[in-house]
Amino acid sequence: MKLHDTLSNLEQKVDVSKKVKIYLCGVTVYDESHIGHARTIIVFDVLRKYLESKDIEIEFVQNFTDVDDKIINRAKVENTSAENISVKYIDNYFKDFDGLNVKRATNYPKATEHIEDIIKFIEELIKKESAYTSKNGVYFSVSRFLEYGKLSKKKIDELQSGSRIEIDEEKKDPLDFAVWKFSDTEPTWNSPWGKGRPGWHIECSAMSIKYLGENFDIHGGGRDLIFPHHENEIAQSESCTGIQFAKIWMHVGMVTINGEKMSKSIGNVKSIKHVLENWGSNVIRLFCLSGHYSKPIDYSEELLEENLTKWRQVETCYYELIHADSENSEEIKSIIEKLSTEFNNALEDDLNTHLALSAFFQLVKETNRLAADERLGKENAHIIKIELKRMLKILGLRIPDITEDEKQKIDELIRNREQFRKEKQFEDADKIRDKLNEMNIELIDHREKTIWMRKEKIKAENQKLGHAN
RNA sequence: GGUACUCUGGCAGAACGGUUAUGCGUGAGCCUGCAAAGCUUAUACAAGGGGGUUCGACUCCCUCGGGUACCUCCA
């Protein structure tokens, strides 16, 4: 598998001959997660699920930044402790991302639980004269790391001239950044240099190296983290270990609204809770995977509706497969193999989820075509179902199981309806159909038989219908 | 101002130096008691502008222009 590496600006092969170690910069837990976070995390979820589908072992570490000025400020506003805030939003995080069907990471290290590791890391930096103590804290000395700027392709002198950073007289160089900030307001920890708390960048260096080693496979996050966060991580880590930090840097594009980045200050943030309630995880995942991960994607109701239409096709396909009982009439294996290969090749080539989805939808279409023609045989359906399920799993899409009880009830209602239809008592037949619709069961009348499917309830769709009426 | 990315049909969006996918939408039709869903089929002068390289460029190069992001916290 190849991935585009921000550092080298080239596609790099992922070494899958042994366990693949991935570190993803998670969220700062001071507020609800939004669709932008969702995109990044869903992209990595697919990366991981794809590799795992090939029986490659993955170690996936994603941090929680649970000590930060924003958390502290929020705590002040809500008149509570920083800890309460972070606990609340970590809880919230899992609600959101379990809802989005994101597989849990191997480990979710928190900054506050790794203060000792961070202190050790800083000690090492000081020993190597890459960091120094000043009045306000311990700073990383950018000038000591000659390759500073290599990730973001920035030149140090240009950074300085264009710098909007307030000049701190205590810093040797305006570009130097804090690895430890002195402070007396809680939360604080004791350190050899004084009471305070860690800077933001240092936690990721310390924790990624602790769990994944000094040189691991993939480090990722949103594009907006390239500078300064990831640039600083490289500087700290490579200064400390003397060897290459992450092998591949993978960055996910922003989610925009009307072409603008989502941000609190513009007030255009869409929370995961909100979109999950209105559209459900399948539609959101399709939306997030609809373009190449490295490019921006624009959030709009129209696009979500488009993805809802597609999702309905997938549901139809799935239920057609379940109900298939015609004679096999054509050779299906070769086309499945072809689409399966296309799907894999797309993902192998820099995780091209858009092309992978093309292959996936071709499989869906092909199935629905056979079913419409009453040519979907049981054996063929079985073969298709295996492949469809594989793709669904990698994409993280899910169709809820239906219980035997429910099935029997539905089948009985359908039999009753068939009887009414035979007797041309259409009003009674339609009543049954309405009743099933209320249960979110939709009927598909083929020439020879009627099958049913359970439609996912999508609030946004119902609202739209409500408006139309 | 600097840096990076980006500019494809009504919309979304890929690949490729030589037939421009795929999906949505739209039109027509099929199926149906009706509907829904689905299917079939049709549909798009498509590549920001201008140069250049080439037998041939959407694809490579130059140039001008637009957009977005980052340069401060941000997924």
Side-chain angles (χ1 to χ4, degrees):
Chain A
M1 180 179 211
K2 287 184 304 184
L3 289 173
H4 184 268
D5 167 39
T6 310
L7 181 58
S8 62
N9 212 7
L10 293 169
E11 293 204 335
Q12 301 284 359
K13 258 197 170 154
V14 182
D15 179 8
V16 294
S17 63
K18 48 187 187 304
K19 194 197 265 186
V20 176
K21 298 179 178 185
I22 305 173
Y23 186 91
L24 176 63
C25 282
V27 295
T28 302
V29 278
Y30 74 106
D31 205 346
E32 290 192 327
S33 303
H34 56 68
I35 181 86
H37 301 115
R39 184 191 188 192
T40 301
I41 290 164
I42 286 169
V43 164
F44 274 83
D45 188 50
V46 172
L47 170 68
R48 177 199 190 170
K49 283 173 174 162
Y50 173 67
L51 290 171
E52 283 180 342
S53 79
K54 301 205 303 176
D55 289 325
I56 294 161
E57 211 186 326
I58 306 294
E59 186 157 1
F60 190 89
V61 175
Q62 183 183 325
N63 71 303
F64 280 122
T65 299
D66 63 344
V67 54
D68 182 88
D69 289 346
K70 280 199 288 266
I71 298 172
I72 295 164
N73 291 338
R74 181 93 186 203
K76 260 186 220 155
V77 171
E78 296 194 14
N79 201 20
T80 182
S81 69
E83 199 191 341
N84 280 344
I85 294 291
S86 57
V87 166
K88 175 178 164 186
Y89 286 109
I90 286 172
D91 199 51
N92 200 75
Y93 173 91
F94 284 119
K95 249 181 231 153
D96 286 344
F97 284 88
D98 289 347
L100 285 170
N101 197 20
V102 169
K103 185 173 178 180
R104 293 233 180 163
T106 319
N107 191 5
Y108 289 97
K110 301 183 188 91
T112 55
E113 290 171 4
H114 293 81
I115 301 296
E116 264 183 53
D117 301 293
I118 291 170
I119 287 173
K120 263 187 232 156
F121 202 103
I122 297 172
E123 277 177 333
E124 193 63 30
L125 287 176
I126 292 176
K127 208 194 293 172
K128 295 193 162 139
E129 293 177 29
S130 289
Y132 58 90
T133 313
S134 84
K135 196 178 122 198
N136 298 321
V138 182
Y139 287 89
F140 181 86
S141 184
V142 166
S143 62
R144 293 278 297 161
F145 187 66
L146 298 177
E147 293 172 292
Y148 193 80
K150 68 178 174 179
L151 181 73
S152 55
K153 319 283 183 264
K154 293 183 189 306
K155 298 199 170 61
I156 292 184
D157 43 345
E158 281 166 0
L159 266 176
Q160 280 169 333
S161 61
S163 173
R164 279 187 262 155
I165 305 163
E166 279 176 50
I167 301 212
D168 180 342
E169 296 301 325
E170 304 300 326
K171 281 202 274 189
K172 289 182 185 165
D173 185 315
L175 288 181
D176 292 350
F177 54 90
V179 291
W180 188 264
K181 296 174 175 173
F182 296 146
S183 171
D184 281 322
T185 48
E186 293 300 321
T188 59
W189 290 264
N190 288 320
S191 82
W193 320 284
K195 216 168 150 191
R197 56 176 182 269
W200 173 38
H201 315 297
I202 196 79
E203 66 172 275
C204 285
S205 288
M207 297 193 296
S208 59
I209 288 174
K210 173 169 181 170
Y211 291 103
L212 300 177
E214 295 180 349
N215 172 240
F216 56 90
D217 299 286
I218 301 167
H219 190 135
R223 282 201 94 83
D224 53 352
L225 293 186
I226 294 174
F227 191 91
H229 187 53
H230 288 161
E231 191 71 63
N232 290 354
E233 273 190 59
I234 291 178
Q236 292 161 349
S237 303
E238 297 190 355
S239 294
C240 184
T241 66
I243 64 165
Q244 182 195 29
F245 186 41
K247 289 175 187 151
I248 295 174
W249 287 88
M250 182 171 163
H251 291 104
V252 180
M254 298 292 101
V255 177
T256 60
I257 291 191
N258 297 324
E260 272 181 316
K261 185 181 166 184
M262 254 187 237
S263 79
K264 293 247 161 66
S265 51
I266 304 176
N268 58 358
V269 176
K270 295 284 172 189
S271 75
I272 293 174
K273 192 178 161 208
H274 173 261
V275 292
L276 215 42
E277 255 174 33
N278 283 287
W279 297 95
S281 71
N282 295 312
V283 173
I284 296 168
R285 289 187 71 111
L286 285 175
F287 164 74
C288 288
L289 299 171
S290 64
H292 190 89
Y293 73 83
S294 63
K295 291 187 176 177
I297 186 171
D298 203 49
Y299 175 95
S300 72
E301 303 273 310
E302 288 73 25
L303 280 180
L304 288 167
E305 266 169 41
E306 179 177 328
N307 284 298
L308 173 58
T309 307
K310 292 180 183 179
W311 179 244
R312 293 298 185 213
Q313 295 172 348
V314 177
E315 285 179 319
T316 303
C317 169
Y318 181 80
Y319 285 98
E320 290 285 9
L321 289 171
I322 285 183
H323 292 107
D325 60 0
S326 309
E327 295 296 311
N328 274 348
S329 65
E330 55 191 88
E331 184 52 44
I332 197 81
K333 267 188 186 152
S334 64
I335 182 144
I336 292 189
E337 261 167 39
K338 180 182 153 258
L339 292 174
S340 174
T341 306
E342 265 178 47
F343 183 88
N344 290 353
N345 287 350
L347 294 177
E348 291 281 334
D349 185 10
D350 198 20
L351 203 73
N352 193 330
T353 51
H354 183 87
L355 277 184
L357 284 174
S358 286
F360 170 70
F361 283 113
Q362 277 180 58
L363 182 68
V364 167
K365 281 237 158 207
E366 180 64 17
T367 305
N368 290 344
R369 192 177 64 78
L370 288 173
D373 283 1
E374 312 259 12
R375 287 192 295 141
L376 185 60
K378 216 169 189 165
E379 283 163 44
N380 279 346
H382 181 70
I383 301 170
I384 297 172
K385 201 156 82 185
I386 290 171
E387 182 56 21
L388 187 86
K389 279 193 165 172
R390 181 183 81 93
M391 292 178 177
L392 285 171
K393 193 173 176 194
I394 291 168
L395 298 168
L397 305 172
R398 58 183 168 190
I399 293 172
D401 287 326
I402 205 152
T403 64
E404 272 309 311
D405 265 12
E406 285 174 298
K407 252 188 215 168
Q408 282 179 10
K409 208 170 152 193
I410 293 163
D411 285 337
E412 199 189 318
L413 284 167
I414 290 180
R415 276 196 298 275
N416 293 343
R417 173 172 174 262
E418 281 312 295
Q419 193 56 40
F420 282 128
R421 288 180 76 200
K422 262 186 206 155
E423 292 163 10
K424 304 227 187 271
Q425 298 184 27
F426 295 121
E427 270 185 34
D428 289 319
D430 288 351
K431 262 183 209 161
I432 294 177
R433 184 165 65 191
D434 291 344
K435 191 175 170 188
L436 283 161
N437 282 347
E438 275 166 33
M439 297 160 66
N440 277 313
I441 303 298
E442 182 147 316
L443 300 182
I444 302 174
D445 289 335
H446 287 301
R447 271 179 231 119
E448 302 293 329
K449 62 170 180 186
T450 296
I451 71 152
W452 56 267
M453 59 183 273
R454 181 159 71 186
K455 284 172 77 174
E456 188 182 332
K457 228 184 263 179
I458 304 285
K459 202 173 152 194
E461 185 182 46
N462 295 335
Q463 278 171 351
K464 219 192 145 204
L465 290 172
H467 281 248
N469 288 340

